[in-house]
Amino acid sequence: MTLNPTMRMLFCALTLTFSFFYTHAQVSITGDLKQYHKTTLTFTGLNVSEAPDTFLNYRMNVTFTSPGNETYVVPGYFAADGNAANTSATSGDKWRVHLNPNETGLWSYEVSFRTGVDIAVSPDVNAGSATSIDGASGTFTITATDKTGNDFRAHGKLEYVQEDYARFADGTYFYEVGADSPETFLEYGDFDATVGRHTFTEVAAYQDGSDPTWAGGKGTEIMGAVNYLASQGMNVQYFLTMNIEGDGKEAFPFPSNTEYTSYDVSKLAQWQIVFDHMYNKGLIQEFVLTEDENSNWFEDQEGVGQHDFSTSRKLYYRELIARFGYLNIIYNIGEEANWEHNGPGADFYTATQIEEAAAYIQALTPYTDLISVHNGPNTDFSIFSELLDLSGTSSLTCISLQGSYDSYGSGHNKVKSFHDLAEADGTKWVIRYTEPYNNSNMNIETWTERSLWASLTAGGAGIHYYSNNGDITEDNYTLWSDFFNRMRYAKDFLYDNAIPFWNMFNDNDAVSTGRLFSDGTENYVIFLPGGGTADIDLTGSSDFTIKWFDPRNGGALQDGSLSALSSGTAQSIGNPPNNQDKSWVVYLKKNQTLITNKERERSKDLKIFPNPTAPGYINISGLDNDIYTLRIFDISGRILDETSVEISKNNQKMNLGHLNSGIYILKFESSAKQGYSQKLVIK
């Protein structure tokens, strides 16, 4: 609901009469104060309650400045008493903001807190008038992360980097595997004001007793679900954040399903406890912001045009970004966005609306998050071409693909065709096969061949498991363990063997049968759905090692009938180790060493010290004055970073604080293309 003109004038007058200013507001800074960990600033300010005025007519933004002088304008939010997850408070004087700091060192902040009618959705930084904690400022220090493994606190924010794959802040590229079901994940009864469809009974035992809960122990079952997904090697869960008129109908951030400009602070704080645990366990949240049955629900509530961009929708985006934007989130504008249904607010979401929403989210979030959309019926992919037909550069950075894989080529060809379509338009979309299904019972072998490896070899950036009949009602994840295993095998194949999938592309024409995914020079991955053998065209004059991988059972690479191959046309790859009529993956890797003999000889004078060292600064000496290309590799040969640096022969100081503990190879290439390499150990 919004204020009528008379009430708006009275509100503004009262605000001007009673407003007050802080130069040093009371603030609590909490969190680990480490790189990539959540850092929270909680201010004591205006005492208000859950009401439309609170959310629409106050706007808190905090500008953070990093040690490297980068600025991040982060939206803040009303946090009631600051402990609403446990108290279910609906009023209070606490205002909060979260940061995911990507640098170590001294950070500073300054608060903008302004008031005015509907100011929360205004892009004008000077709109309204300053009040309460406006102008509050201070500093805090961030130290290096101490986390490792899948924990996102070891890797940082997932970022769109204008490539076919997303990348974490630490330079690690992301291949996505996880669950599309249940899309009603948030319909869990331990959340305030929520009808509990899900109990997660079968996976509740995976909660280990040390996991966070709320209100005296609530939330244990859903924590078990999170832990189970992580234990299966999954890294994403897809779910609806608002489905009032759609599937399920019980997940929404409001106190009730009749409100749309007032937010349930305690429910959202409880969501946050779960989402924080997911971040720590290495699980992306794909926020599906709406679905086809309520594509224009906000506009219908406000009584504006079905294809307008309503105030309440903008507020909805802002509240979610303010409360959860520091996490690793994929913002999905809408599920089946261009599928028209009957009912209020169900008129289809147009390409123009999708682009407008994506641009709004992109402008509001301080990070380079993935912003996606999901196509309509499995036979209708027109929304993607319609988006590309819009003028200008799209704010959409990825797509969530729904489609049947009934035929052998369907899943593969869909991913490939949208890659080609986007590339022809000069666009790089991160394409995920988030809802692969067929029209009969799910067969694991068919799914593995036509969905998982079909999309991977087409250049798909990930895949989800979608339950044909249980995407709304089912929460027993153990039923899908076989599918999770197959996805984990594929993910582990890429990472364990340091395959540079982010630099690879589909090249089926170079093999006589099967699907080929390669970089065209050094790495070739062939998927043979029916086993057997194939011929491959290898350009250049190189030798290759041949290994076989079992996509059905995972494990280490195996030897087939041939162990090596030289460049040439129609070269036979030999036969698999066993089960010749079953699906196999073949990996051809160019024979090479990380440091060549010539580089080793040239590098005798290159000194890197201290070595070993802790994360932070190192010193470099022994190179001639020049501008060098520096490439940093991990010990398996995967390139982590590439940059241009100016080196002085005497001594050059360089910050490598973004590298975690491990062994690295630093390669310097001079302007004359001479290479110099040294090993670096970070403790």
Side-chain angles (χ1 to χ4, degrees):
M1 94 188 206
T2 54
L3 297 174
N4 62 44
T6 303
M7 291 299 294
R8 290 184 183 218
M9 292 177 63
L10 178 60
F11 171 79
C12 292
L14 289 171
T15 299
L16 290 173
T17 302
F18 294 108
S19 63
F20 55 99
F21 300 86
Y22 289 77
T23 55
H24 298 288
Q26 182 179 345
V27 60
S28 170
I29 301 178
T30 56
D32 298 328
L33 298 183
K34 294 181 183 294
Q35 185 183 28
Y36 309 143
H37 297 223
K38 178 176 75 170
T39 296
T40 299
L41 279 65
T42 303
F43 297 88
T44 300
L46 292 177
N47 195 320
V48 292
S49 63
E50 289 177 2
D53 292 353
T54 297
F55 300 100
L56 283 167
N57 299 328
Y58 294 101
R59 185 188 68 196
M60 174 184 173
N61 287 335
V62 180
T63 299
F64 292 93
T65 302
S66 76
N69 209 36
E70 296 289 330
T71 58
Y72 301 84
V73 180
V74 183
Y77 64 93
F78 169 58
D81 66 351
N83 190 30
N86 294 297
T87 65
S88 295
T90 60
S91 62
D93 60 1
K94 298 298 183 283
W95 297 80
R96 185 166 282 168
V97 67
H98 306 288
L99 176 72
N100 190 322
N102 62 341
E103 296 182 37
T104 58
L106 186 67
W107 287 73
S108 64
Y109 67 87
E110 184 172 357
V111 177
S112 169
F113 195 104
R114 302 182 73 83
T115 186
V117 175
D118 294 346
I119 192 173
V121 300
S122 172
D124 182 0
V125 296
N126 296 314
S129 58
T131 188
S132 186
I133 52 177
D134 186 74
S137 61
T139 61
F140 55 90
T141 298
I142 296 295
T143 59
T145 181
D146 58 351
K147 301 301 179 182
T148 59
N150 295 325
D151 191 328
F152 288 151
R153 290 172 294 180
H155 305 289
K157 284 284 287 181
L158 185 66
E159 301 172 328
Y160 174 68
V161 290
Q162 300 181 14
E163 298 179 25
D164 296 328
Y165 297 84
R167 190 175 68 196
F168 291 101
D170 74 340
T172 304
Y173 282 86
F174 183 57
Y175 183 75
E176 178 180 326
V177 291
D180 180 283
S181 305
E183 65 180 35
T184 53
F185 179 77
L186 294 178
E187 294 185 359
Y188 173 61
D190 278 3
F191 293 136
D192 284 358
T194 302
V195 175
R197 179 186 302 276
H198 295 299
T199 60
F200 303 106
T201 303
E202 290 83 1
V203 290
Y206 283 81
Q207 200 271 351
D208 66 8
S210 64
D211 298 326
T213 56
W214 60 89
K218 289 185 176 181
T220 57
E221 298 90 355
I222 199 169
M223 291 302 180
V226 170
N227 291 351
Y228 179 78
L229 280 173
S231 74
Q232 298 300 297
M234 298 300 97
N235 56 29
V236 65
Q237 171 72 57
Y238 172 110
F239 55 82
L240 294 154
T241 54
M242 201 287 284
N243 63 356
I244 287 174
E245 292 293 340
D247 295 341
K249 297 182 172 58
E250 298 298 340
F252 44 83
F254 318 115
S256 73
N257 61 6
T258 61
E259 300 177 72
Y260 60 97
T261 54
S262 185
Y263 285 79
D264 190 323
V265 175
S266 61
K267 180 196 296 187
L268 292 171
Q270 291 157 5
W271 285 10
Q272 186 174 70
I273 292 172
V274 176
F275 297 163
D276 281 351
H277 190 56
M278 294 173 79
Y279 182 85
N280 297 348
K281 288 290 185 178
L283 285 164
I284 298 282
Q285 299 109 51
E286 181 155 359
F287 279 18
V288 184
L289 300 173
T290 188
E291 55 186 328
D292 61 297
E293 292 91 343
N294 53 35
S295 290
N296 291 277
W297 183 82
F298 287 101
E299 287 71 25
D300 186 67
Q301 302 307 302
E302 282 192 32
V304 299
Q306 286 275 292
H307 297 300
D308 288 345
F309 192 7
S310 65
T311 295
S312 56
R313 179 181 296 279
K314 294 176 182 177
L315 180 65
Y316 168 59
Y317 294 159
R318 178 185 171 88
E319 286 293 323
L320 291 181
I321 291 170
R323 295 170 190 276
F324 310 121
Y326 61 93
L327 296 160
N328 277 331
I329 295 172
I330 299 170
Y331 296 102
N332 191 325
I333 302 298
E335 181 183 68
E336 300 166 344
N338 61 324
W339 191 353
E340 187 166 8
H341 278 63
N342 296 322
D347 195 19
F348 69 94
Y349 215 34
T350 67
T352 300
Q353 283 180 292
I354 292 168
E355 176 57 34
E356 189 174 17
Y360 186 85
I361 292 171
Q362 186 181 73
L364 191 58
T365 175
Y367 310 103
T368 52
D369 296 294
L370 291 178
I371 305 172
S372 184
V373 75
H374 186 98
N375 64 291
N378 71 303
T379 55
D380 184 359
F381 305 97
S382 59
I383 193 65
F384 301 131
S385 57
E386 290 171 12
L387 284 160
L388 293 173
D389 286 341
L390 297 175
S391 61
T393 302
S394 177
S395 297
L396 206 70
T397 55
C398 73
I399 62 174
S400 303
L401 184 63
Q402 169 185 270
S404 169
Y405 58 88
D406 286 338
S407 66
Y408 166 67
S410 58
H412 180 83
N413 292 340
K414 285 184 180 73
V415 174
K416 190 174 183 302
S417 66
F418 295 122
H419 262 302
D420 295 343
L421 187 69
E423 186 173 329
D425 191 62
T427 299
K428 288 286 189 180
W429 273 342
V430 178
I431 300 175
R432 293 103 26 71
Y433 202 2
T434 57
E435 201 165 300
Y437 64 87
N438 65 7
N439 295 317
S440 58
N441 292 329
M442 306 284 275
N443 177 276
I444 184 98
E445 302 303 337
T446 304
W447 184 89
T448 301
E449 295 175 2
R450 299 183 184 179
S451 294
L452 173 56
W453 284 94
S455 60
L456 189 157
T457 54
I463 188 169
H464 299 182
Y465 173 75
Y466 166 78
S467 172
N468 266 14
N469 301 312
D471 64 317
I472 300 171
T473 59
E474 186 59 70
D475 60 18
N476 180 5
Y477 287 98
T478 64
L479 296 173
W480 312 323
S481 61
D482 289 343
F483 295 89
F484 293 154
N485 286 339
R486 296 292 175 95
M487 287 189 280
R488 185 178 72 254
Y489 299 155
K491 175 173 67 75
D492 290 349
F493 167 76
L494 296 175
Y495 286 109
D496 290 351
N497 298 296
I499 295 173
F501 57 88
W502 56 92
N503 285 328
M504 297 169 71
F505 55 90
N506 177 259
D507 190 17
N508 292 338
D509 292 340
V511 288
S512 61
T513 188
R515 309 297 195 190
L516 175 63
F517 188 50
S518 84
D519 58 13
T521 56
E522 298 181 359
N523 297 273
Y524 296 82
V525 174
I526 307 168
F527 177 62
L528 299 173
T533 187
D535 296 337
I536 184 171
D537 295 336
L538 297 170
T539 60
S541 57
S542 302
D543 295 325
F544 293 83
T545 299
I546 304 175
K547 293 287 185 180
W548 294 73
F549 176 75
D550 183 350
R552 295 160 283 108
N553 299 293
L557 298 179
Q558 303 180 43
D559 291 325
S561 63
L562 293 178
S563 60
L565 195 62
S566 297
S567 299
T569 59
Q571 297 284 79
S572 174
I573 62 173
N575 295 311
N578 50 61
N579 293 313
Q580 296 196 16
D581 59 343
K582 303 294 185 181
S583 59
W584 282 93
V585 175
V586 190
Y587 179 35
L588 281 70
K589 183 174 178 60
K590 179 181 175 181
N591 295 336
Q592 58 184 340
T593 56
L594 211 53
I595 301 177
T596 66
N597 289 333
K598 287 185 178 180
E599 285 179 340
R600 188 173 288 108
E601 184 65 27
R602 281 195 297 265
S603 301
K604 288 181 178 178
D605 294 331
L606 172 61
K607 304 297 182 187
I608 298 176
F609 56 95
N611 188 10
T613 184
Y617 284 92
I618 61 168
N619 295 284
I620 301 167
S621 66
L623 295 179
D624 290 335
N625 296 348
D626 199 354
I627 296 177
Y628 292 81
T629 298
L630 168 62
R631 297 180 180 90
I632 303 176
F633 298 80
D634 64 18
I635 196 61
S636 65
R638 180 178 55 160
I639 187 168
L640 304 178
D641 196 8
E642 180 174 331
T643 188
S644 179
V645 294
E646 186 173 357
I647 300 291
S648 167
K649 185 171 184 177
N650 295 326
N651 193 14
Q652 179 75 30
K653 199 170 187 179
M654 182 176 297
N655 187 0
L656 295 181
H658 63 291
L659 296 179
N660 295 323
S661 298
I663 302 173
Y664 301 91
I665 303 297
L666 275 57
K667 287 194 169 192
F668 297 86
E669 185 179 271
S670 70
S671 57
K673 304 299 182 183
Q674 296 292 310
Y676 305 83
S677 302
Q678 287 287 359
K679 182 168 71 173
L680 173 67
V681 178
I682 297 182
K683 298 183 293 184

